[in-house]
Coordinates of all heavy atoms in Angstrom, one line a residue:
Q111 N -4.4 17.1 -44.4 CA -3.2 16.8 -45.1 C -3.5 16.9 -46.6 O -4.0 16.0 -47.3 CB -2.7 15.4 -44.8 CG -1.3 15.1 -45.1 CD -0.4 15.7 -44.1 OE1 -0.6 15.6 -42.9 NE2 0.7 16.4 -44.6
A112 N -3.1 18.1 -47.2 CA -3.3 18.4 -48.5 C -2.4 17.6 -49.5 O -2.8 17.1 -50.5 CB -3.2 19.9 -48.8
T113 N -1.1 17.5 -49.1 CA -0.2 16.7 -49.9 C 0.8 16.0 -48.9 O 0.6 16.2 -47.6 CB 0.7 17.6 -50.8 OG1 1.6 18.4 -50.1 CG2 -0.2 18.4 -51.7
D114 N 1.8 15.3 -49.3 CA 2.8 14.7 -48.4 C 3.5 15.8 -47.6 O 4.0 15.5 -46.4 CB 3.8 13.9 -49.1 CG 3.1 12.6 -49.7 OD1 2.1 12.2 -49.2 OD2 3.8 12.0 -50.7
D115 N 3.6 17.1 -48.1 CA 4.5 18.0 -47.4 C 3.6 19.2 -46.9 O 4.1 20.1 -46.2 CB 5.5 18.6 -48.4 CG 6.5 17.5 -48.8 OD1 6.9 16.8 -47.9 OD2 6.8 17.5 -50.0
I116 N 2.4 19.3 -47.3 CA 1.6 20.5 -46.9 C 0.3 20.1 -46.1 O -0.4 19.2 -46.4 CB 1.1 21.3 -48.2 CG1 2.3 21.7 -49.0 CG2 0.2 22.4 -47.9 CD1 2.0 22.4 -50.3
A117 N 0.2 20.8 -45.0 CA -1.0 20.7 -44.1 C -1.8 22.0 -44.2 O -1.2 23.0 -44.0 CB -0.7 20.3 -42.7
V118 N -3.1 21.9 -44.3 CA -4.0 23.0 -44.3 C -4.7 23.0 -43.0 O -5.3 22.0 -42.6 CB -4.9 23.1 -45.5 CG1 -5.9 24.2 -45.4 CG2 -4.1 23.1 -46.8
L119 N -4.9 24.2 -42.3 CA -5.5 24.2 -41.0 C -6.4 25.4 -40.8 O -6.1 26.5 -40.4 CB -4.4 24.3 -39.9 CG -3.5 23.1 -39.8 CD1 -2.1 23.5 -40.3 CD2 -3.4 22.6 -38.4
P120 N -7.7 25.2 -41.2 CA -8.7 26.2 -40.9 C -8.9 26.4 -39.4 O -8.8 25.4 -38.6 CB -9.9 25.8 -41.6 CG -9.8 24.3 -41.7 CD -8.3 24.1 -41.9
F121 N -9.2 27.6 -38.9 CA -9.4 27.7 -37.4 C -10.4 28.7 -37.1 O -10.8 29.6 -37.9 CB -8.0 28.1 -36.8 CG -7.3 29.4 -37.3 CD1 -7.7 30.6 -36.9 CD2 -6.4 29.2 -38.3 CE1 -7.2 31.7 -37.4 CE2 -5.8 30.4 -38.9 CZ -6.2 31.7 -38.4
I122 N -10.9 28.7 -35.9 CA -11.8 29.7 -35.4 C -11.8 29.6 -33.8 O -11.5 28.6 -33.2 CB -13.3 29.4 -35.7 CG1 -14.2 30.5 -35.4 CG2 -13.8 28.1 -35.2 CD1 -15.6 30.4 -36.0
G123 N -12.0 30.7 -33.2 CA -12.1 30.7 -31.7 C -12.0 32.1 -31.1 O -11.8 33.1 -31.9
P124 N -12.3 32.3 -29.8 CA -12.3 33.6 -29.2 C -10.8 34.1 -28.9 O -9.8 33.3 -28.9 CB -12.9 33.3 -27.8 CG -12.6 31.8 -27.5 CD -12.6 31.1 -28.9
T125 N -10.6 35.4 -28.8 CA -9.4 36.0 -28.5 C -9.6 37.0 -27.5 O -10.6 37.8 -27.4 CB -8.7 36.6 -29.7 OG1 -7.4 37.1 -29.4 CG2 -9.5 37.6 -30.4
F126 N -8.7 37.0 -26.4 CA -8.8 38.0 -25.3 C -7.7 39.0 -25.3 O -6.5 38.5 -25.5 CB -8.9 37.2 -24.0 CG -10.0 36.2 -24.0 CD1 -9.7 34.9 -24.4 CD2 -11.2 36.5 -23.6 CE1 -10.6 33.9 -24.4 CE2 -12.2 35.5 -23.6 CZ -12.0 34.2 -24.0
R127 N -8.0 40.3 -25.3 CA -6.9 41.3 -25.3 C -7.0 42.3 -24.1 O -8.1 42.5 -23.6 CB -7.0 42.0 -26.7 CG -6.6 41.3 -27.8 CD -6.6 42.2 -29.1 NE -7.9 42.7 -29.4 CZ -8.6 42.2 -30.5 NH1 -8.1 41.2 -31.2 NH2 -9.8 42.7 -30.7
Y128 N -5.8 42.8 -23.8 CA -5.7 43.8 -22.8 C -4.8 44.9 -23.2 O -3.6 44.6 -23.6 CB -5.3 43.2 -21.5 CG -5.4 44.2 -20.3 CD1 -6.6 44.4 -19.7 CD2 -4.3 44.9 -19.8 CE1 -6.8 45.3 -18.7 CE2 -4.5 45.9 -18.9 CZ -5.7 46.1 -18.2 OH -5.8 47.0 -17.3
G129 N -5.2 46.1 -23.2 CA -4.5 47.3 -23.7 C -3.3 47.6 -22.8 O -3.3 47.6 -21.6
I130 N -2.1 47.8 -23.5 CA -0.9 48.1 -22.8 C -0.5 49.5 -23.2 O -1.0 50.2 -24.0 CB 0.2 47.1 -23.1 CG1 0.4 47.0 -24.6 CG2 -0.2 45.8 -22.5 CD1 1.6 46.0 -24.9
F131 N 0.8 50.0 -22.6 CA 1.2 51.3 -22.8 C 1.7 51.5 -24.3 O 1.8 50.6 -25.0 CB 2.4 51.5 -21.9 CG 3.5 50.6 -22.2 CD1 4.5 50.8 -23.1 CD2 3.7 49.4 -21.5 CE1 5.6 50.0 -23.4 CE2 4.7 48.5 -21.7 CZ 5.7 48.8 -22.7
G132 N 1.7 52.8 -24.7 CA 2.2 53.2 -26.0 C 1.1 53.6 -27.0 O 1.5 54.3 -28.0
G133 N -0.1 53.2 -26.7 CA -1.2 53.6 -27.7 C -1.5 55.1 -27.6 O -1.8 55.6 -26.5
K134 N -1.5 55.7 -28.7 CA -1.8 57.2 -28.7 C -2.9 57.5 -29.7 O -3.0 56.8 -30.7 CB -0.5 57.9 -29.1 CG 0.7 57.8 -28.2 CD 0.4 58.5 -26.8 CE 1.6 58.4 -25.9 NZ 1.4 59.0 -24.6

Side-chain angles (χ1 to χ4, degrees):
Q111 199 73 45
T113 71
D114 289 342
D115 297 318
I116 298 175
V118 177
L119 298 106
F121 58 83
I122 189 171
T125 182
F126 305 91
R127 288 190 291 258
Y128 190 79
I130 57 176
F131 60 88
K134 299 291 183 180

